Short mmCIF file of all heavy atoms in Angstrom, two decimals:
data_model
loop_
_atom_site.label_atom_id
_atom_site.label_comp_id
_atom_site.label_asym_id
_atom_site.label_seq_id
_atom_site.Cartn_x
_atom_site.Cartn_y
_atom_site.Cartn_z
N MET A 15 111.46 99.49 89.77
CA MET A 15 110.10 99.83 89.38
C MET A 15 110.05 101.31 88.99
O MET A 15 110.52 102.16 89.72
CB MET A 15 109.17 99.56 90.56
CG MET A 15 107.74 99.50 90.18
SD MET A 15 107.51 98.08 89.15
CE MET A 15 105.90 97.60 89.56
N TYR A 16 109.50 101.60 87.82
CA TYR A 16 109.37 102.96 87.36
C TYR A 16 108.01 103.53 87.75
O TYR A 16 107.02 102.82 87.85
CB TYR A 16 109.50 103.02 85.84
CG TYR A 16 110.89 102.79 85.33
CD1 TYR A 16 111.20 101.65 84.62
CD2 TYR A 16 111.89 103.72 85.55
CE1 TYR A 16 112.48 101.43 84.14
CE2 TYR A 16 113.18 103.51 85.07
CZ TYR A 16 113.46 102.37 84.37
OH TYR A 16 114.73 102.16 83.89
N ASN A 17 107.97 104.83 87.90
CA ASN A 17 106.70 105.54 88.05
C ASN A 17 106.44 106.26 86.74
O ASN A 17 107.33 106.41 85.92
CB ASN A 17 106.78 106.54 89.20
CG ASN A 17 106.85 105.84 90.53
OD1 ASN A 17 106.07 104.93 90.80
ND2 ASN A 17 107.79 106.25 91.36
N ASN A 18 105.25 106.74 86.54
CA ASN A 18 104.91 107.38 85.28
C ASN A 18 104.84 108.89 85.41
O ASN A 18 103.95 109.53 84.86
CB ASN A 18 103.59 106.82 84.74
CG ASN A 18 103.45 107.11 83.26
OD1 ASN A 18 104.44 107.25 82.55
ND2 ASN A 18 102.22 107.22 82.80
N LYS A 19 105.78 109.44 86.17
CA LYS A 19 105.86 110.90 86.31
C LYS A 19 107.28 111.25 86.70
O LYS A 19 107.99 110.43 87.28
CB LYS A 19 104.87 111.42 87.35
CG LYS A 19 105.11 110.83 88.71
CD LYS A 19 104.08 111.30 89.71
CE LYS A 19 104.38 110.68 91.07
NZ LYS A 19 103.42 111.00 92.08
N PRO A 20 107.72 112.48 86.37
CA PRO A 20 109.11 112.85 86.70
C PRO A 20 109.29 113.10 88.19
O PRO A 20 108.33 113.38 88.91
CB PRO A 20 109.32 114.14 85.90
CG PRO A 20 107.95 114.70 85.72
CD PRO A 20 107.02 113.52 85.64
N ASN A 21 110.51 112.99 88.64
CA ASN A 21 110.90 113.33 89.99
C ASN A 21 111.47 114.74 89.98
O ASN A 21 112.49 114.98 89.33
CB ASN A 21 112.01 112.40 90.47
CG ASN A 21 111.53 111.30 91.36
OD1 ASN A 21 110.72 111.54 92.25
ND2 ASN A 21 112.02 110.10 91.13
N MET A 22 110.85 115.69 90.67
CA MET A 22 111.40 117.03 90.80
C MET A 22 112.24 117.04 92.07
O MET A 22 111.73 116.71 93.15
CB MET A 22 110.29 118.07 90.88
CG MET A 22 110.78 119.52 90.81
SD MET A 22 111.55 120.17 92.30
CE MET A 22 110.14 120.30 93.39
N VAL A 23 113.51 117.37 91.95
CA VAL A 23 114.38 117.44 93.11
C VAL A 23 115.24 118.70 93.03
O VAL A 23 115.62 119.14 91.95
CB VAL A 23 115.29 116.20 93.24
CG1 VAL A 23 114.51 114.97 93.63
CG2 VAL A 23 116.07 115.95 91.98
N GLU A 24 115.52 119.26 94.20
CA GLU A 24 116.45 120.39 94.28
C GLU A 24 117.77 119.82 94.76
O GLU A 24 117.85 119.30 95.88
CB GLU A 24 115.91 121.44 95.23
CG GLU A 24 114.64 122.07 94.67
CD GLU A 24 114.27 123.37 95.38
OE1 GLU A 24 115.17 124.12 95.76
OE2 GLU A 24 113.05 123.60 95.52
N LEU A 25 118.76 119.88 93.90
CA LEU A 25 120.06 119.28 94.20
C LEU A 25 121.08 120.35 94.55
O LEU A 25 121.11 121.41 93.92
CB LEU A 25 120.56 118.48 92.99
CG LEU A 25 119.69 117.30 92.56
CD1 LEU A 25 120.26 116.70 91.27
CD2 LEU A 25 119.65 116.25 93.65
N PRO A 26 121.94 120.07 95.50
CA PRO A 26 123.04 120.99 95.79
C PRO A 26 124.12 120.86 94.72
O PRO A 26 124.13 119.92 93.92
CB PRO A 26 123.54 120.50 97.15
CG PRO A 26 123.20 119.05 97.19
CD PRO A 26 121.92 118.90 96.38
N ALA A 27 125.03 121.81 94.71
CA ALA A 27 126.18 121.72 93.80
C ALA A 27 126.94 120.43 94.10
O ALA A 27 126.96 119.95 95.22
CB ALA A 27 127.08 122.93 93.98
N GLY A 28 127.54 119.88 93.04
CA GLY A 28 128.31 118.65 93.20
C GLY A 28 127.86 117.61 92.21
O GLY A 28 127.07 117.87 91.31
N THR A 29 128.38 116.40 92.38
CA THR A 29 128.05 115.29 91.48
C THR A 29 127.04 114.37 92.15
O THR A 29 127.19 114.02 93.32
CB THR A 29 129.32 114.51 91.10
OG1 THR A 29 130.22 115.39 90.43
CG2 THR A 29 128.99 113.35 90.17
N HIS A 30 126.01 114.01 91.37
CA HIS A 30 124.93 113.16 91.87
C HIS A 30 124.76 111.99 90.91
O HIS A 30 124.82 112.16 89.69
CB HIS A 30 123.63 113.96 91.96
CG HIS A 30 123.79 115.23 92.72
ND1 HIS A 30 123.75 115.27 94.09
CD2 HIS A 30 124.05 116.49 92.30
CE1 HIS A 30 123.98 116.51 94.49
NE2 HIS A 30 124.16 117.28 93.42
N TYR A 31 124.53 110.80 91.45
CA TYR A 31 124.36 109.60 90.64
C TYR A 31 122.88 109.22 90.63
O TYR A 31 122.31 108.90 91.68
CB TYR A 31 125.25 108.47 91.15
CG TYR A 31 126.71 108.82 90.98
CD1 TYR A 31 127.42 109.47 91.99
CD2 TYR A 31 127.34 108.57 89.77
CE1 TYR A 31 128.74 109.84 91.81
CE2 TYR A 31 128.67 108.93 89.58
CZ TYR A 31 129.35 109.56 90.60
OH TYR A 31 130.66 109.94 90.40
N ILE A 32 122.29 109.27 89.44
CA ILE A 32 120.85 109.08 89.28
C ILE A 32 120.56 107.67 88.78
O ILE A 32 121.12 107.21 87.79
CB ILE A 32 120.29 110.11 88.27
CG1 ILE A 32 120.72 111.54 88.67
CG2 ILE A 32 118.79 109.99 88.16
CD1 ILE A 32 120.31 111.98 90.06
N CYS A 33 119.67 106.98 89.46
CA CYS A 33 119.31 105.60 89.12
C CYS A 33 118.76 105.52 87.69
O CYS A 33 117.90 106.30 87.30
CB CYS A 33 118.25 105.09 90.10
SG CYS A 33 117.64 103.43 89.70
N GLN A 34 119.26 104.55 86.93
CA GLN A 34 118.77 104.28 85.58
C GLN A 34 118.24 102.86 85.44
O GLN A 34 117.82 102.46 84.36
CB GLN A 34 119.87 104.53 84.55
CG GLN A 34 120.32 105.97 84.47
CD GLN A 34 119.17 106.88 84.08
OE1 GLN A 34 118.55 106.70 83.04
NE2 GLN A 34 118.87 107.86 84.92
N CYS A 35 118.27 102.08 86.52
CA CYS A 35 117.78 100.71 86.43
C CYS A 35 116.36 100.57 86.94
O CYS A 35 115.70 99.58 86.67
CB CYS A 35 118.70 99.75 87.19
SG CYS A 35 118.55 99.82 88.98
N GLY A 36 115.90 101.57 87.71
CA GLY A 36 114.53 101.54 88.24
C GLY A 36 114.39 100.76 89.53
O GLY A 36 113.29 100.67 90.07
N ASN A 37 115.46 100.23 90.08
CA ASN A 37 115.35 99.36 91.26
C ASN A 37 115.86 99.98 92.56
O ASN A 37 115.78 99.32 93.60
CB ASN A 37 116.11 98.05 91.00
CG ASN A 37 115.45 97.25 89.92
OD1 ASN A 37 114.23 97.21 89.82
ND2 ASN A 37 116.25 96.60 89.08
N SER A 38 116.39 101.20 92.51
CA SER A 38 116.92 101.80 93.73
C SER A 38 115.83 101.97 94.78
O SER A 38 114.69 102.34 94.47
CB SER A 38 117.53 103.17 93.41
OG SER A 38 117.94 103.80 94.61
N LYS A 39 116.18 101.76 96.03
CA LYS A 39 115.26 102.01 97.15
C LYS A 39 115.38 103.46 97.59
O LYS A 39 114.65 103.88 98.49
CB LYS A 39 115.60 101.09 98.32
CG LYS A 39 115.65 99.61 97.99
CD LYS A 39 114.28 98.99 97.97
CE LYS A 39 114.31 97.48 97.81
NZ LYS A 39 114.85 97.01 96.54
N ASN A 40 116.29 104.19 96.96
CA ASN A 40 116.53 105.60 97.32
C ASN A 40 116.37 106.49 96.10
O ASN A 40 117.14 107.41 95.88
CB ASN A 40 117.94 105.75 97.91
CG ASN A 40 118.18 107.12 98.49
OD1 ASN A 40 117.27 107.75 99.01
ND2 ASN A 40 119.42 107.60 98.39
N LYS A 41 115.38 106.18 95.23
CA LYS A 41 115.18 106.96 94.01
C LYS A 41 114.91 108.41 94.34
O LYS A 41 114.27 108.69 95.32
CB LYS A 41 114.01 106.37 93.22
CG LYS A 41 114.44 105.10 92.49
CD LYS A 41 113.35 104.30 91.87
CE LYS A 41 112.48 105.01 90.92
NZ LYS A 41 111.54 104.14 90.22
N PRO A 42 115.42 109.33 93.51
CA PRO A 42 115.99 109.10 92.20
C PRO A 42 117.48 108.74 92.22
O PRO A 42 118.09 108.64 91.16
CB PRO A 42 115.76 110.43 91.49
CG PRO A 42 115.90 111.43 92.59
CD PRO A 42 115.28 110.76 93.80
N PHE A 43 118.05 108.54 93.39
CA PHE A 43 119.49 108.32 93.47
C PHE A 43 119.83 106.83 93.41
O PHE A 43 119.05 105.98 93.85
CB PHE A 43 120.04 108.93 94.76
CG PHE A 43 119.67 110.37 94.90
CD1 PHE A 43 118.68 110.77 95.77
CD2 PHE A 43 120.29 111.34 94.12
CE1 PHE A 43 118.30 112.11 95.87
CE2 PHE A 43 119.93 112.68 94.21
CZ PHE A 43 118.93 113.06 95.08
N CYS A 44 120.99 106.54 92.87
CA CYS A 44 121.48 105.16 92.80
C CYS A 44 121.84 104.67 94.20
O CYS A 44 122.43 105.40 94.98
CB CYS A 44 122.73 105.14 91.90
SG CYS A 44 123.58 103.55 91.85
N ASP A 45 121.45 103.44 94.51
CA ASP A 45 121.85 102.83 95.78
C ASP A 45 122.63 101.54 95.57
O ASP A 45 122.81 100.76 96.51
CB ASP A 45 120.63 102.59 96.68
CG ASP A 45 119.74 101.46 96.18
OD1 ASP A 45 119.97 100.94 95.06
OD2 ASP A 45 118.79 101.10 96.91
N GLY A 46 123.07 101.30 94.32
CA GLY A 46 123.84 100.09 94.03
C GLY A 46 122.99 98.90 93.61
O GLY A 46 123.52 97.84 93.30
N SER A 47 121.66 99.05 93.61
CA SER A 47 120.77 97.93 93.27
C SER A 47 120.90 97.48 91.82
O SER A 47 120.38 96.43 91.45
CB SER A 47 119.31 98.30 93.54
OG SER A 47 119.09 98.52 94.90
N HIS A 48 121.58 98.28 90.98
CA HIS A 48 121.74 97.92 89.57
C HIS A 48 122.73 96.77 89.37
O HIS A 48 122.81 96.22 88.27
CB HIS A 48 122.22 99.14 88.77
CG HIS A 48 123.55 99.65 89.22
ND1 HIS A 48 123.68 100.62 90.20
CD2 HIS A 48 124.80 99.31 88.85
CE1 HIS A 48 124.97 100.85 90.40
NE2 HIS A 48 125.67 100.08 89.59
N ALA A 49 123.45 96.38 90.41
CA ALA A 49 124.48 95.35 90.26
C ALA A 49 123.90 94.11 89.57
O ALA A 49 122.87 93.58 89.97
CB ALA A 49 125.02 94.97 91.63
N GLY A 50 124.54 93.70 88.49
CA GLY A 50 124.12 92.52 87.75
C GLY A 50 123.08 92.78 86.69
O GLY A 50 122.72 91.87 85.94
N SER A 51 122.56 94.01 86.61
CA SER A 51 121.49 94.32 85.65
C SER A 51 122.05 94.75 84.29
O SER A 51 121.30 94.82 83.31
CB SER A 51 120.59 95.44 86.19
OG SER A 51 121.28 96.68 86.19
N GLY A 52 123.35 95.09 84.26
CA GLY A 52 123.92 95.61 83.02
C GLY A 52 123.68 97.09 82.85
O GLY A 52 124.13 97.68 81.87
N LYS A 53 122.95 97.72 83.79
CA LYS A 53 122.70 99.16 83.72
C LYS A 53 123.58 99.88 84.73
O LYS A 53 124.03 99.28 85.71
CB LYS A 53 121.22 99.45 83.99
CG LYS A 53 120.33 98.84 82.93
CD LYS A 53 118.91 99.29 83.06
CE LYS A 53 118.10 98.71 81.91
NZ LYS A 53 116.73 99.17 81.94
N THR A 54 123.80 101.16 84.46
CA THR A 54 124.62 101.97 85.35
C THR A 54 123.92 103.31 85.59
O THR A 54 123.12 103.75 84.76
CB THR A 54 126.02 102.24 84.74
OG1 THR A 54 125.85 102.83 83.46
CG2 THR A 54 126.81 100.95 84.60
N PRO A 55 124.23 103.97 86.70
CA PRO A 55 123.60 105.26 86.97
C PRO A 55 124.14 106.36 86.05
O PRO A 55 125.21 106.22 85.46
CB PRO A 55 123.97 105.54 88.43
CG PRO A 55 125.24 104.78 88.64
CD PRO A 55 125.15 103.56 87.77
N SER A 56 123.37 107.44 85.92
CA SER A 56 123.83 108.64 85.21
C SER A 56 124.39 109.61 86.21
O SER A 56 123.79 109.82 87.27
CB SER A 56 122.67 109.32 84.48
OG SER A 56 122.25 108.56 83.40
N ALA A 57 125.52 110.21 85.90
CA ALA A 57 126.12 111.21 86.77
C ALA A 57 125.72 112.60 86.31
O ALA A 57 125.75 112.90 85.12
CB ALA A 57 127.63 111.08 86.78
N ILE A 58 125.30 113.43 87.24
CA ILE A 58 125.00 114.85 86.98
C ILE A 58 125.96 115.66 87.84
O ILE A 58 126.05 115.42 89.05
CB ILE A 58 123.58 115.23 87.42
CG1 ILE A 58 122.52 114.45 86.65
CG2 ILE A 58 123.34 116.73 87.24
CD1 ILE A 58 121.11 114.72 87.19
N THR A 59 126.66 116.60 87.23
CA THR A 59 127.52 117.50 87.99
C THR A 59 126.98 118.90 87.86
O THR A 59 126.81 119.42 86.75
CB THR A 59 128.98 117.43 87.49
OG1 THR A 59 129.44 116.09 87.65
CG2 THR A 59 129.87 118.36 88.29
N LEU A 60 126.66 119.50 88.99
CA LEU A 60 126.12 120.86 89.03
C LEU A 60 127.13 121.81 89.64
O LEU A 60 127.73 121.50 90.67
CB LEU A 60 124.83 120.88 89.86
CG LEU A 60 123.69 119.98 89.38
CD1 LEU A 60 122.55 120.00 90.40
CD2 LEU A 60 123.20 120.41 88.02
N GLU A 61 127.26 122.98 89.01
CA GLU A 61 128.15 124.02 89.53
C GLU A 61 127.50 124.80 90.67
O GLU A 61 128.19 125.40 91.49
CB GLU A 61 128.54 124.99 88.40
CG GLU A 61 129.28 124.32 87.26
CD GLU A 61 130.62 123.74 87.67
OE1 GLU A 61 131.31 124.38 88.47
OE2 GLU A 61 130.95 122.64 87.19
N ALA A 62 126.16 124.79 90.68
CA ALA A 62 125.40 125.52 91.69
C ALA A 62 124.13 124.73 91.99
O ALA A 62 123.72 123.88 91.18
CB ALA A 62 125.05 126.91 91.18
N PRO A 63 123.48 124.97 93.12
CA PRO A 63 122.23 124.28 93.42
C PRO A 63 121.23 124.51 92.29
O PRO A 63 121.18 125.61 91.71
CB PRO A 63 121.76 124.92 94.73
CG PRO A 63 122.98 125.49 95.35
CD PRO A 63 123.87 125.90 94.20
N LYS A 64 120.42 123.49 91.99
CA LYS A 64 119.50 123.61 90.87
C LYS A 64 118.31 122.68 91.07
O LYS A 64 118.47 121.56 91.56
CB LYS A 64 120.22 123.26 89.57
CG LYS A 64 119.40 123.47 88.32
CD LYS A 64 120.23 123.20 87.08
CE LYS A 64 119.44 123.47 85.82
NZ LYS A 64 120.22 123.19 84.61
N LYS A 65 117.12 123.12 90.64
CA LYS A 65 115.93 122.27 90.62
C LYS A 65 115.92 121.54 89.29
O LYS A 65 116.04 122.15 88.24
CB LYS A 65 114.67 123.11 90.76
CG LYS A 65 113.40 122.29 90.80
CD LYS A 65 112.15 123.15 90.70
CE LYS A 65 111.98 124.05 91.88
NZ LYS A 65 110.69 124.81 91.85
N VAL A 66 115.80 120.21 89.33
CA VAL A 66 115.80 119.42 88.09
C VAL A 66 114.61 118.46 88.09
O VAL A 66 114.11 118.06 89.15
CB VAL A 66 117.11 118.61 87.91
CG1 VAL A 66 118.31 119.54 87.75
CG2 VAL A 66 117.33 117.65 89.05
N PHE A 67 114.16 118.12 86.89
CA PHE A 67 113.10 117.13 86.72
C PHE A 67 113.74 115.89 86.11
O PHE A 67 114.27 115.94 85.00
CB PHE A 67 111.99 117.67 85.82
CG PHE A 67 111.20 118.76 86.48
CD1 PHE A 67 111.62 120.08 86.44
CD2 PHE A 67 110.04 118.46 87.17
CE1 PHE A 67 110.91 121.08 87.08
CE2 PHE A 67 109.31 119.46 87.81
CZ PHE A 67 109.75 120.77 87.77
N LEU A 68 113.71 114.79 86.85
CA LEU A 68 114.39 113.57 86.44
C LEU A 68 113.39 112.54 85.93
O LEU A 68 112.31 112.35 86.52
CB LEU A 68 115.16 112.99 87.62
CG LEU A 68 116.22 113.93 88.21
CD1 LEU A 68 116.79 113.33 89.50
CD2 LEU A 68 117.33 114.20 87.21
N CYS A 69 113.75 111.86 84.85
CA CYS A 69 112.89 110.82 84.27
C CYS A 69 112.67 109.70 85.28
O CYS A 69 113.61 109.21 85.88
CB CYS A 69 113.54 110.26 83.01
SG CYS A 69 112.62 108.87 82.29
N ASP A 70 111.40 109.30 85.44
CA ASP A 70 111.10 108.12 86.24
C ASP A 70 110.09 107.23 85.53
O ASP A 70 109.35 106.49 86.15
CB ASP A 70 110.61 108.50 87.63
CG ASP A 70 110.75 107.33 88.60
OD1 ASP A 70 111.36 106.31 88.24
OD2 ASP A 70 110.20 107.42 89.72
N CYS A 71 110.05 107.35 84.18
CA CYS A 71 109.21 106.43 83.40
C CYS A 71 110.09 105.49 82.58
O CYS A 71 109.60 104.51 82.03
CB CYS A 71 108.24 107.19 82.49
SG CYS A 71 108.98 107.92 81.01
N GLY A 72 111.39 105.83 82.47
CA GLY A 72 112.32 104.99 81.73
C GLY A 72 112.35 105.23 80.24
O GLY A 72 113.07 104.56 79.52
N GLU A 73 111.58 106.20 79.74
CA GLU A 73 111.46 106.39 78.29
C GLU A 73 112.11 107.67 77.76
O GLU A 73 112.14 107.87 76.55
CB GLU A 73 109.97 106.41 77.90
CG GLU A 73 109.22 105.14 78.27
CD GLU A 73 109.71 103.91 77.52
OE1 GLU A 73 110.13 104.05 76.36
OE2 GLU A 73 109.69 102.82 78.10
N SER A 74 112.60 108.54 78.63
CA SER A 74 113.17 109.81 78.16
C SER A 74 114.33 109.58 77.20
O SER A 74 115.14 108.69 77.38
CB SER A 74 113.66 110.64 79.35
OG SER A 74 114.30 111.82 78.88
N LYS A 75 114.39 110.42 76.18
CA LYS A 75 115.52 110.39 75.24
C LYS A 75 116.64 111.30 75.74
O LYS A 75 117.67 111.42 75.09
CB LYS A 75 115.07 110.85 73.84
CG LYS A 75 113.89 110.08 73.27
CD LYS A 75 114.27 108.67 72.90
CE LYS A 75 113.13 107.92 72.20
NZ LYS A 75 112.07 107.48 73.11
N ASN A 76 116.42 111.96 76.86
CA ASN A 76 117.39 112.89 77.42
C ASN A 76 117.70 112.52 78.88
O ASN A 76 117.78 113.37 79.75
CB ASN A 76 116.85 114.33 77.34
CG ASN A 76 117.90 115.35 77.72
OD1 ASN A 76 119.09 115.15 77.48
ND2 ASN A 76 117.47 116.45 78.32
N LYS A 77 117.84 111.22 79.15
CA LYS A 77 118.09 110.75 80.52
C LYS A 77 119.39 111.33 81.06
O LYS A 77 120.34 111.49 80.30
CB LYS A 77 118.17 109.22 80.55
CG LYS A 77 116.85 108.56 80.29
CD LYS A 77 117.02 107.06 80.33
CE LYS A 77 115.74 106.39 79.91
NZ LYS A 77 115.89 104.94 79.77
N PRO A 78 119.41 111.66 82.33
CA PRO A 78 118.43 111.32 83.34
C PRO A 78 117.30 112.33 83.45
O PRO A 78 116.46 112.22 84.34
CB PRO A 78 119.26 111.31 84.63
CG PRO A 78 120.27 112.38 84.40
CD PRO A 78 120.62 112.28 82.93
N PHE A 79 117.25 113.31 82.55
CA PHE A 79 116.24 114.35 82.66
C PHE A 79 114.93 113.95 81.97
O PHE A 79 114.94 113.21 80.98
CB PHE A 79 116.76 115.66 82.06
CG PHE A 79 118.04 116.12 82.70
CD1 PHE A 79 119.25 115.96 82.06
CD2 PHE A 79 118.02 116.65 83.98
CE1 PHE A 79 120.43 116.34 82.67
CE2 PHE A 79 119.21 117.04 84.61
CZ PHE A 79 120.41 116.88 83.96
N CYS A 80 113.83 114.46 82.48
CA CYS A 80 112.51 114.24 81.88
C CYS A 80 112.41 114.99 80.56
O CYS A 80 112.85 116.14 80.47
CB CYS A 80 111.43 114.75 82.85
SG CYS A 80 109.77 114.71 82.18
N ASP A 81 111.86 114.34 79.54
CA ASP A 81 111.57 115.03 78.27
C ASP A 81 110.08 114.92 77.92
O ASP A 81 109.71 115.08 76.77
CB ASP A 81 112.44 114.48 77.13
CG ASP A 81 112.04 113.06 76.71
OD1 ASP A 81 111.18 112.45 77.40
OD2 ASP A 81 112.57 112.59 75.69
N ALA A 82 109.28 114.63 78.92
CA ALA A 82 107.81 114.51 78.80
C ALA A 82 107.39 113.23 78.09
O ALA A 82 106.21 113.09 77.74
CB ALA A 82 107.21 115.74 78.12
N SER A 83 108.28 112.27 77.92
CA SER A 83 107.89 110.99 77.30
C SER A 83 106.83 110.27 78.11
O SER A 83 106.05 109.49 77.55
CB SER A 83 109.12 110.08 77.13
OG SER A 83 109.98 110.59 76.15
N HIS A 84 106.78 110.52 79.43
CA HIS A 84 105.77 109.84 80.26
C HIS A 84 104.35 110.19 79.84
O HIS A 84 103.43 109.42 80.09
CB HIS A 84 105.98 110.17 81.75
CG HIS A 84 105.83 111.63 82.07
ND1 HIS A 84 106.84 112.54 81.85
CD2 HIS A 84 104.78 112.32 82.55
CE1 HIS A 84 106.42 113.73 82.23
NE2 HIS A 84 105.18 113.64 82.64
N THR A 85 104.19 111.33 79.19
CA THR A 85 102.84 111.74 78.75
C THR A 85 102.39 110.93 77.54
O THR A 85 101.21 110.95 77.19
CB THR A 85 102.77 113.23 78.41
OG1 THR A 85 103.67 113.48 77.30
CG2 THR A 85 103.19 114.10 79.59
N LYS A 86 103.34 110.23 76.89
CA LYS A 86 102.99 109.45 75.69
C LYS A 86 102.85 107.98 75.96
O LYS A 86 102.52 107.20 75.07
CB LYS A 86 104.08 109.68 74.62
CG LYS A 86 104.22 111.14 74.24
CD LYS A 86 105.45 111.37 73.37
CE LYS A 86 105.64 112.87 73.19
NZ LYS A 86 106.98 113.30 73.51
N LYS A 87 103.12 107.55 77.25
CA LYS A 87 102.99 106.13 77.59
C LYS A 87 101.52 105.78 77.74
O LYS A 87 100.72 106.57 78.23
CB LYS A 87 103.70 105.83 78.91
CG LYS A 87 105.20 105.71 78.76
CD LYS A 87 105.86 105.34 80.07
CE LYS A 87 106.13 103.87 80.12
NZ LYS A 87 106.94 103.50 81.32
N ALA A 88 101.17 104.56 77.34
CA ALA A 88 99.78 104.10 77.45
C ALA A 88 99.44 103.77 78.88
O ALA A 88 100.25 103.45 79.67
CB ALA A 88 99.57 102.89 76.57
S1 FES B 12 120.39 101.49 91.64
FE1 FES B 12 119.54 101.90 89.70
S2 FES B 12 121.23 102.55 88.53
FE2 FES B 12 122.08 102.14 90.46
#
């Protein structure tokens, strides 16, 4: 299930797997719920801790990051 607003998260350095199927119970992170959906998580690798805005409307053209597409949804 998608929400119609971005997820702002502060992530530590390292690799993070971001849900792209909308079904994770641990959003914005992948929890394996995508199995059988044909979708896969996006990997983000950060060299240093960083605040990021992640798409949670499913429409961003720059996934997993928000590109403000949620503001154009009806
Ligand atoms: S649970 Fe959604 S992509 Fe893995």
Side-chain angles (χ1 to χ4, degrees):
M15 196 66 148
Y16 288 112
N17 290 312
N18 199 26
K19 60 183 181 183
N21 259 317
M22 188 284 290
V23 290
E24 294 195 36
L25 298 175
T29 299
H30 308 278
Y31 294 91
I32 308 302
C33 176
Q34 295 300 303
C35 75
N37 293 323
S38 175
K39 306 279 187 295
N40 188 33
K41 283 170 55 172
F43 306 104
C44 173
D45 71 353
S47 296
H48 61 270
S51 71
K53 297 189 176 183
T54 56
S56 290
I58 298 174
T59 300
L60 301 174
E61 299 296 321
K64 186 176 183 181
K65 182 189 295 185
V66 296
F67 290 86
L68 301 172
C69 175
D70 199 9
C71 76
E73 301 295 327
S74 175
K75 305 289 186 285
N76 188 33
K77 291 180 186 173
F79 303 104
C80 174
D81 71 352
S83 290
H84 62 280
T85 63
K86 300 170 188 129
K87 282 183 98 172

